[in-house]
Amino acid sequence: MSFSEKFADFGDKVIIKHRGLVLVSFLVLFLFSLAGLKRIVLDNSYASMLDKDNPINVQNRYFQEYFGNGDFAFIMVEASNTTDPNVLRQIQSLTTALEDSLPFVKDVKSFSNLEFLSAADDAISVDKLIPDGEIPESDSAIAALRNRIVSKKMYLDKLTNKELTQSGIFISFDTLGDTVYVKKKSENIFSFDIVKSDEVDGKDLSDYRLQKNPLMLIAPSLDYILEKHKNEYCSFSSTGVPVISYNVNSILTKEAAKSFVLTLVIIVGILAFLYRSTREVVAPLCVILSSVLMTFGIIGWLGIVVTTFALIVALLLMVISVSYSIHIINHFRKSLDIDGDRMNAVHYTYLHSGWACMLSAITTMVGFVSFVFVDMVPVRNLGITSAIGVAIVYCLTIFILPVLLSYGKNKENPVSQYKHAFLEVEKFPIFSITHAKPIFITTLLLLVGFGYMVTKIKADTDFINLFGEENAFVRDANKCTQNLGSLYSYEVLIELPEAGMAKTPEVLLAEDRLDSLINTFPITKFTTSVNDLIKDVNQTLHSGDSTYFRIPEDPNLLSQYLLLYEIAGGTELEKCVDLDYKRIRHSVRIRRSTTDLQYDFDKIVSFGQKFFPEGTQISIVGDMSVFLRAVSSLVKGQIISLIFSFIGIFIVLLLVFRSFREAFIIMIPNVIPVFFIGGVMGAMGITLNLQTIVAAPVIMGLAVDDTIHYVVFLTNVFKKTRDYKQASITTFKRVGNGIINTSIILFIGFLTFFFTPVISLHNISLLLVVGIVVALFADLLLTPALFSYFKALGKEN
Amino acid sequence: MKYLGVFMSACALLYCGLIEAQTGLEVMQRNKDCVSFSTLQSENELTITNKNGQKRTRKIKKIESLDSEDNKSMVVTFTYPADVEGTALLSVEKSDDRWLYIPALKQSRRIPDSDLSSSFMGTDFSYEDLENEEITEFEYQNLGVENLNGQKCYHIIATPKTKTKQKESGYSKRELFVTTDHYAAVLVKYYDKKGNCFKELRSSDLRKVKNSDKWKFYKMEMVNLKKKSTTTITVDDYVIDQKLSAETFSKRAIER
């Protein structure tokens, strides 16, 4: 008994015989899975990209212990004159509202509360830029304020432009931790009642819900506060990682939901068009929806944390599910049309598509499971989610769909001959076999060309680049970064060998040189460090003479400046140097995130080793170091996962077909779409990111599905005819339309998210569509030629 | 024996009654009388410890004087670490004068009065914590006598009375535990404007100052519950009510 027959036997004796029990078990499992949906944990934070014990996350937490959270939000104020009293009042009111109501806020810096070091005659003071919060009203007072602002080098291009038409508000945050508890009844975005995880002891949290990634609470409150402060005098634009993360989350969720509904409608339309039968539309629809819901429910039960990017899995599962369902329904209908008996039709379906679908599911799962080798948590979890999803899709298609189709009356007037569909598919193998050589040469040339373009692929995890300018948060981010603000930052942590060294001229002069180096990097927007404070004190104590905007070389003077600054009421010191003067923080705000940052980081570290005292440790911390590691992990991960996919799929084919040559030939038409996808990415500048990484394994899995259906039938027919051309023609007549139908459905299914304003979704749609078309043409034109030319199934008679 | 028991109980009740009878204001007046001085000299060690256990230590020499109108004058001279040695801060409340002498520049600079709520030299103490309390500006409520670590203490709630004080103070209220014997505040809890307790001053090592009838704490620990940092002041020795020359609190004196 062949494996197909064993499978069909199992279908008859187990699944169909106990179909009532199968349906009840399915219902129980379905309800159980649904309960897991509530437990799904979404986490889009940068820190969640890498494992907790990853050295970069460990170093980031170490930095936060001394200097707190590096996350910030930035608000750009635009007005014809930002020192106009009306504008200043708006800034003042907004600053107070942010200080009072924004969750996790640590510090808000704006014109209204900015520290201002000044000296007059023999007096020195650290006051506010606007003393006592009294907004200047007279022309002379406004002019004095303008002079105060432009006199400070520290402010220019950071907090204001020279024309004073733009002004910045910087918001820094407390360390948020991984989770917080939010009071359910207080879920009013203006006043969250939040309990941090380190404040939980002894508190009754029955009225609270767990919030993973607390960063998500910031943006809605910020939006609300900005909305309340809309006015006729100035405009506000906001950006920063908390704003971007929140928008990425909500836009992706909305777009994925839209695409989900659209795909569902299209699938219903296609099924209705193909089968014109309520049962054959409703039954696969049940399978499709149940697969998606059960997958995410089980993910919830397993406690697997997913990013919003994992929503793409729902769309993929729908499309894969349709593809399997069509194979099942095609075989079922074919038998039912000819034989008329439903049970026989189910047997025929199991015989001809049960294990082919299983092979296809296994190969697709191998592709996804290979993501576990990626050093990036979201990609690993995406792979696990997808693999579980494919397994569920397969199980439901094989266990539930035939059961649903088995109920009902037998067909009364079966036709003696099965009618083929609309295409004369047998022309493809004829053309393929008669033009084998030109097809091989063309394929080879295309492979070389696309293979070259693969080398041009770049990886990226910058959320801004994954979304288009059509999204307001991207426009705001670009506007801010092109002017005053910045979107991303990194921190240089300088850890000196001994306490007290951070206030020595030797170290501070080295830091000054490091600062000059960092400012030569094109990506650097501006830097802040303890040197700014010391230089400002030195200049102020020398009657504002700008030649004194430098680090003094007398160690005692340096220490006394720092003491003077503290006694005079300065509060910025602790943000730049730790308590025992051993660690220095050098903050660098940058224009955008790019992989070129790695060169800058290397230069900083090698500079540090050269110019700081021996034993000094220089490390780069913050989200950008996570970003760089994530990017390199994505590239490595894609390569490793593809290698594992190739090997895994090859082993599966080898085990099934027990022929090295056959397995190798089957691999060729399935590897080609992967090259094409890579080539398109390289040629069109589509980056490898959290979504595009799934394109190659998905296409391989789906392409293998069609090839397996073709090869299984071809092998059976060839055994009888021993003639490749004839066997191919017969095979195409039987499975060709099924292959084309599924490809058309996959094409349309993947096309649904082509028109989204989210660039990354648009790109993955494009890649999957290209992959499907190439896979189809490879199956129609290349596979018959390969089998015939290389005599994969043995010699002809 | 029986009568002795009754007698002792009556005495205890009478004693407690006497204790209870004092108003908050009376307790705080006694507290103020107990800690008052005309001049006070001390050598202090200030240690700031942050939540990571890192420490910053400074040693200072402090000379203070109170005039008949309760105006305070103070000179703080840094003696440790070596790189700030000789740096001196002069503060004269009556003339609103504050000067800082920077030895490396050999110059004194006038520095303006800081906000009462702002930090004193980067420590967990604010200027308000160190100022001479003006008891007419607060309302004191005596909640009774409580046992604190085996010590009988008046439990006092102090809230700013005047609008000006409410505005300039960094606290919405203070909770004081004042010993019934020496009228010394062993524990002060500070509440922010939202009503949350965020700082605690724990004073200990109460000793009688040499050649004086005054009692003073030799160790004070200000704990910031929010920042999880602590500033400890340990006093080497006090010299109380010793005559000082009129020049002690002058710019020339700190530059010497």
Side-chain angles (χ1 to χ4, degrees):
Chain A
M1 200 187 263
S2 72
F3 191 79
S4 303
E5 286 161 343
K6 279 183 193 164
F7 200 100
D9 199 42
F10 170 80
D12 290 341
K13 290 183 179 160
V14 180
I15 302 172
I16 299 301
K17 194 175 173 188
H18 303 102
R19 55 187 182 173
L21 186 66
V22 168
L23 279 182
V24 171
S25 311
F26 159 71
L27 263 176
V28 171
L29 269 174
F30 178 72
L31 293 174
F32 171 75
S33 308
L34 278 191
L37 285 175
K38 275 187 188 172
R39 293 168 172 260
I40 285 186
V41 181
L42 273 174
D43 190 354
N44 289 328
S45 63
Y46 264 108
S48 72
M49 284 194 179
L50 305 177
D51 287 305
K52 265 198 160 181
D53 55 356
N54 185 294
I56 289 177
N57 271 344
V58 172
Q59 192 68 15
N60 277 347
R61 285 199 297 274
Y62 178 75
F63 171 83
Q64 286 188 4
E65 271 176 35
Y66 292 97
F67 297 108
N69 187 0
D71 284 333
F72 67 94
F74 177 80
I75 298 169
M76 191 165 81
V77 185
E78 284 181 289
S80 54
N81 171 15
T82 52
T83 52
D84 178 88
N86 290 318
V87 177
L88 288 172
R89 262 189 290 276
Q90 291 298 331
I91 294 174
Q92 191 175 49
S93 159
L94 177 61
T95 305
T96 310
L98 292 168
E99 284 172 334
D100 290 347
S101 309
L102 197 65
F104 312 110
V105 72
K106 182 180 172 187
D107 191 26
V108 182
K109 280 223 162 344
S110 73
F111 274 176
S112 72
N113 65 358
L114 210 58
E115 208 170 70
F116 188 84
L117 185 70
S118 63
D121 302 327
D122 54 1
I124 181 164
S125 70
V126 182
D127 207 338
K128 298 287 180 206
L129 180 66
I130 299 173
D132 302 321
E134 281 167 20
I135 305 286
E137 299 287 346
S138 67
D139 288 349
S140 60
I142 294 169
L145 175 67
R146 291 177 75 91
N147 285 339
R148 277 157 79 89
I149 295 169
V150 294
S151 70
K152 290 284 176 191
K153 275 188 185 176
M154 285 168 72
Y155 297 167
L156 285 180
D157 298 326
K158 293 181 188 175
L159 272 153
T160 180
N161 61 353
K162 277 179 198 151
E163 298 77 28
L164 299 178
T165 54
Q166 293 169 344
S167 157
I169 300 177
F170 279 99
I171 308 164
S172 60
F173 299 96
D174 281 327
T175 306
L176 310 182
D178 292 338
T179 52
V180 292
Y181 292 86
V182 182
K183 195 166 192 179
K184 288 173 190 165
K185 283 174 192 164
S186 79
E187 288 196 28
N188 140 21
I189 51 171
F190 199 54
S191 59
F192 285 117
D193 183 349
I194 293 167
V195 176
K196 288 188 184 175
S197 46
D198 59 349
E199 298 166 350
V200 168
D201 278 354
K203 284 209 168 146
D204 175 16
L205 294 173
S206 51
D207 267 359
Y208 289 75
R209 69 172 175 86
L210 183 74
Q211 167 79 39
K212 195 93 184 168
N213 192 10
L215 199 72
M216 289 297 154
L217 298 173
I218 295 170
S221 282
L222 181 60
D223 284 347
Y224 182 85
I225 295 168
L226 290 180
E227 188 62 35
K228 284 262 166 199
H229 283 81
K230 264 193 177 168
N231 65 86
E232 57 191 294
Y233 308 108
C234 58
S235 67
F236 303 119
S237 324
S238 63
T239 193
V241 171
V243 176
I244 289 167
S245 295
Y246 176 78
N247 279 289
V248 163
N249 205 25
S250 57
I251 293 173
L252 261 185
T253 311
K254 262 186 226 156
E255 286 304 316
K258 259 199 256 171
S259 300
F260 190 87
V261 173
L262 187 62
T263 311
L264 208 63
V265 170
I266 288 171
I267 286 171
V268 170
I270 291 170
L271 292 172
F273 172 77
L274 283 178
Y275 304 118
R276 284 159 210 185
S277 145
T278 312
R279 182 196 302 261
E280 282 153 17
V281 173
V282 173
L285 207 60
C286 284
V287 167
I288 292 163
L289 287 174
S290 312
S291 305
V292 174
L293 292 173
M294 284 176 79
T295 302
F296 282 94
I298 286 171
I299 293 304
W301 280 115
L302 292 176
I304 295 172
V305 178
V306 289
T307 64
T308 319
F309 291 90
L311 290 170
I312 189 81
V313 176
L315 295 168
L316 295 178
L317 292 182
M318 277 171 73
V319 179
I320 294 170
S321 186
V322 175
S323 150
Y324 292 175
S325 299
I326 284 179
H327 281 298
I328 297 284
I329 297 173
N330 274 353
H331 282 103
F332 179 83
R333 283 194 61 143
K334 197 180 293 176
S335 174
L336 192 68
D337 282 351
I338 298 167
D339 184 80
D341 185 86
R342 278 188 182 273
M343 292 306 165
N344 288 346
V346 169
H347 178 85
Y348 181 86
T349 305
Y350 279 130
L351 187 68
H352 289 284
S353 58
W355 81 274
C357 281
M358 185 161 114
L359 271 184
S360 170
I362 290 172
T363 51
T364 312
M365 283 166 70
V366 166
F368 283 128
V369 168
S370 62
F371 282 171
V372 296
F373 299 103
V374 182
D375 186 21
M376 232 179 121
V377 179
V379 177
R380 275 210 307 264
N381 289 350
L382 187 78
I384 295 167
T385 308
S386 308
I388 291 173
V390 173
I392 291 172
V393 164
Y394 173 74
C395 289
L396 296 193
T397 320
I398 289 302
F399 291 119
I400 306 303
L401 188 56
V403 167
L404 293 174
L405 294 173
S406 72
Y407 284 102
K409 290 175 187 167
N410 288 334
K411 194 161 182 173
E412 283 176 5
N413 301 309
V415 290
S416 55
Q417 186 80 36
Y418 178 68
K419 278 183 194 165
H420 293 302
F422 49 94
L423 269 173
E424 290 178 31
V425 285
E426 62 273 18
K427 285 186 180 168
F428 287 106
I430 298 168
F431 178 83
S432 168
I433 291 167
T434 50
H435 297 86
K437 274 190 182 170
I439 287 175
F440 293 158
I441 292 166
T442 313
T443 308
L444 202 66
L445 286 175
L446 284 170
L447 275 182
V448 171
F450 278 88
Y452 171 72
M453 294 315 296
V454 168
T455 61
K456 306 274 174 201
I457 297 177
K458 281 190 176 171
D460 188 8
T461 56
D462 186 348
F463 291 149
I464 283 291
N465 300 337
L466 303 184
F467 289 73
E469 277 268 350
E470 288 146 61
N471 298 287
F473 84 96
V474 175
R475 286 197 300 276
D476 278 354
N478 288 339
K479 191 158 106 183
C480 291
T481 47
Q482 278 156 19
N483 295 288
L484 281 186
S486 72
L487 184 52
Y488 300 117
S489 65
Y490 63 86
E491 309 279 352
V492 183
L493 176 64
I494 304 160
E495 193 163 2
L496 297 153
E498 281 169 40
M501 287 181 96
K503 53 178 178 171
T504 60
E506 183 198 4
V507 167
L508 291 173
L509 287 168
E511 205 206 343
D512 210 32
R513 291 176 69 179
L514 175 68
D515 189 59
S516 305
L517 172 78
I518 295 172
N519 277 302
T520 62
F521 302 154
I523 198 160
T524 303
K525 191 88 194 263
F526 60 84
T527 57
T528 47
S529 70
V530 64
N531 282 7
D532 299 333
L533 289 179
I534 295 168
K535 287 178 187 176
D536 194 28
V537 174
N538 199 23
Q539 183 185 359
T540 309
L541 282 174
H542 289 90
S543 318
D545 183 348
S546 61
T547 55
Y548 282 91
F549 192 75
R550 59 180 162 82
I551 301 292
E553 289 177 22
D554 176 353
N556 289 352
L557 184 59
L558 259 174
S559 300
Q560 287 162 29
Y561 275 174
L562 294 173
L563 186 63
L564 160 73
Y565 176 78
E566 277 185 297
I567 291 176
T571 56
E572 296 295 303
L573 195 59
E574 63 184 48
K575 294 172 192 164
C576 317
V577 190
D578 71 344
L579 196 68
D580 56 5
Y581 294 104
K582 194 171 187 292
R583 295 165 193 83
I584 304 175
R585 169 195 193 174
H586 203 103
S587 302
V588 186
R589 301 280 160 98
I590 54 173
R591 294 170 205 278
R592 60 185 184 280
S593 68
T594 152
T595 46
D596 293 344
L597 270 174
Q598 190 57 58
Y599 303 115
D600 298 351
F601 288 3
D602 294 343
K603 278 185 196 164
I604 290 169
V605 172
S606 77
F607 177 93
Q609 284 161 350
K610 216 167 158 185
F611 292 101
F612 281 95
E614 208 182 321
T616 302
Q617 299 282 327
I618 307 270
S619 46
I620 316 288
V621 293
D623 286 347
M624 283 306 101
S625 54
V626 178
F627 161 81
L628 278 182
R629 172 58 72 91
V631 165
S632 72
S633 297
L634 266 182
V635 177
K636 271 188 222 159
Q638 180 83 96
I639 293 167
I640 293 170
S641 81
L642 280 179
I643 291 170
F644 271 87
S645 288
F646 291 153
I647 296 171
I649 292 171
F650 187 74
I651 291 171
V652 171
L653 294 174
L654 203 60
L655 286 172
V656 172
F657 293 102
R658 290 174 193 175
S659 154
F660 189 84
R661 182 192 278 191
E662 208 174 328
F664 188 75
I665 287 175
I666 295 173
M667 283 299 287
I668 294 172
N670 297 304
V671 171
I672 288 170
V674 174
F675 269 86
F676 271 67
I677 286 176
V680 169
M681 287 174 79
M684 295 182 67
I686 297 173
T687 54
L688 186 65
N689 57 47
L690 286 172
Q691 289 193 314
T692 49
I693 195 169
V694 299
V698 166
I699 287 303
M700 265 192 79
L702 293 174
V704 166
D705 178 31
D706 285 342
T707 317
I708 286 171
H709 278 93
Y710 169 78
V711 176
V712 168
F713 221 98
L714 180 78
T715 313
N716 288 336
V717 181
F718 184 78
K719 274 179 195 163
K720 292 170 197 162
T721 61
R722 305 302 296 178
D723 180 331
Y724 281 103
K725 200 171 176 182
Q726 197 50 52
S728 291
I729 290 167
T730 312
T731 304
F732 263 81
K733 277 184 180 171
R734 298 300 289 270
V735 299
N737 275 303
I739 290 173
I740 292 169
N741 281 351
T742 46
S743 297
I744 290 171
I745 287 169
L746 291 171
F747 181 92
I748 296 169
F750 290 143
L751 206 62
T752 50
F753 36 104
F754 185 82
F755 303 100
T756 154
V758 179
I759 290 175
S760 63
L761 269 178
H762 165 88
N763 285 345
I764 185 137
S765 164
L766 175 73
L767 297 177
L768 292 171
V769 163
V770 166
I772 285 297
V773 172
V774 175
L776 176 65
F777 277 94
D779 275 336
L780 295 180
L781 297 174
L782 187 62
T783 313
L786 284 168
F787 270 82
S788 162
Y789 192 83
F790 293 104
K791 310 285 180 243
L793 303 172
K795 285 183 181 168
E796 287 176 299
N797 284 340
Chain B
M1 266 323 268
K2 191 179 158 191
Y3 292 108
L4 182 66
V6 172
F7 174 73
M8 285 187 72
S9 303
C11 284
L13 278 171
L14 186 65
Y15 174 66
C16 288
L18 280 172
I19 292 170
E20 297 280 345
Q22 295 197 68
T23 64
L25 182 64
E26 283 164 348
V27 172
M28 291 311 290
Q29 183 60 59
R30 294 287 295 270
N31 167 265
K32 194 175 158 77
D33 294 343
C34 287
V35 296
S36 71
F37 53 81
S38 64
T39 69
L40 182 71
Q41 297 173 64
S42 60
E43 282 183 24
N44 307 316
E45 186 178 292
L46 270 86
T47 305
I48 308 167
T49 311
N50 68 10
K51 61 173 180 175
N52 298 318
Q54 287 180 293
K55 289 182 192 305
R56 180 184 290 173
T57 302
R58 282 173 184 155
K59 286 182 185 165
I60 55 171
K61 222 169 150 178
K62 207 158 82 168
I63 308 173
E64 295 162 90
S65 103
L66 282 175
D67 67 11
S68 53
E69 287 160 5
D70 253 6
N71 289 313
K72 197 180 199 176
S73 299
M74 181 171 72
V75 170
V76 175
T77 310
F78 288 82
T79 55
Y80 177 87
D83 51 17
V84 294
E85 196 181 338
T87 310
L89 172 71
L90 165 70
S91 157
V92 182
E93 194 179 349
K94 196 174 184 179
S95 56
D96 258 353
D97 241 5
R98 285 177 84 216
W99 290 87
L100 185 78
Y101 175 65
I102 306 163
L105 282 180
K106 294 192 171 58
Q107 280 179 14
S108 290
R109 289 287 178 162
R110 189 195 296 270
I111 51 174
D113 250 354
S114 295
D115 281 346
L116 277 181
S117 58
S118 64
S119 158
F120 171 70
M121 296 191 303
T123 67
D124 294 295
F125 287 88
S126 68
Y127 283 94
E128 186 177 4
D129 303 334
L130 301 172
E131 80 168 357
N132 197 30
E133 185 156 330
E134 188 50 71
I135 57 171
T136 53
E137 289 178 329
F138 293 91
E139 202 167 86
Y140 299 102
Q141 191 189 354
N142 186 357
L143 299 183
V145 174
E146 284 176 24
N147 204 320
L148 186 78
N149 302 326
Q151 233 176 341
K152 278 206 160 56
C153 295
Y154 294 105
H155 186 180
I156 308 287
I157 304 290
T159 39
K161 201 158 52 175
T162 59
K163 283 236 165 109
T164 326
K165 195 69 195 169
Q166 279 167 6
K167 200 181 165 190
E168 66 182 17
S169 172
Y171 312 121
S172 59
K173 68 169 183 182
R174 282 172 302 141
E175 206 179 337
L176 300 102
F177 291 84
V178 182
T179 57
T180 52
D181 47 7
H182 298 294
Y183 288 90
V186 282
L187 175 66
V188 185
K189 293 182 173 187
Y190 299 87
Y191 289 80
D192 63 19
K193 300 275 175 169
K194 287 180 183 170
N196 300 316
C197 176
F198 75 106
K199 274 196 340 186
E200 274 183 18
L201 174 63
R202 298 163 192 167
S203 304
S204 56
D205 196 7
L206 184 69
R207 280 189 259 154
K208 196 172 176 196
V209 178
K210 253 188 241 166
N211 308 322
S212 155
D213 58 347
K214 303 280 181 185
W215 289 72
K216 294 224 89 37
F217 289 114
Y218 279 71
K219 188 177 178 186
M220 281 144 284
E221 207 175 44
M222 181 65 91
V223 184
N224 190 316
L225 304 169
K226 211 171 164 187
K227 280 170 67 184
K228 294 179 180 131
S229 60
T230 307
T231 301
T232 310
I233 300 177
T234 45
V235 184
D236 244 16
D237 207 4
Y238 289 105
V239 176
I240 207 159
D241 295 339
Q242 196 179 67
K243 267 205 161 179
L244 297 169
S245 77
E247 259 212 353
T248 308
F249 301 102
S250 69
K251 191 181 150 203
R252 220 158 19 148
I254 60 169
E255 287 173 354
R256 231 180 267 148

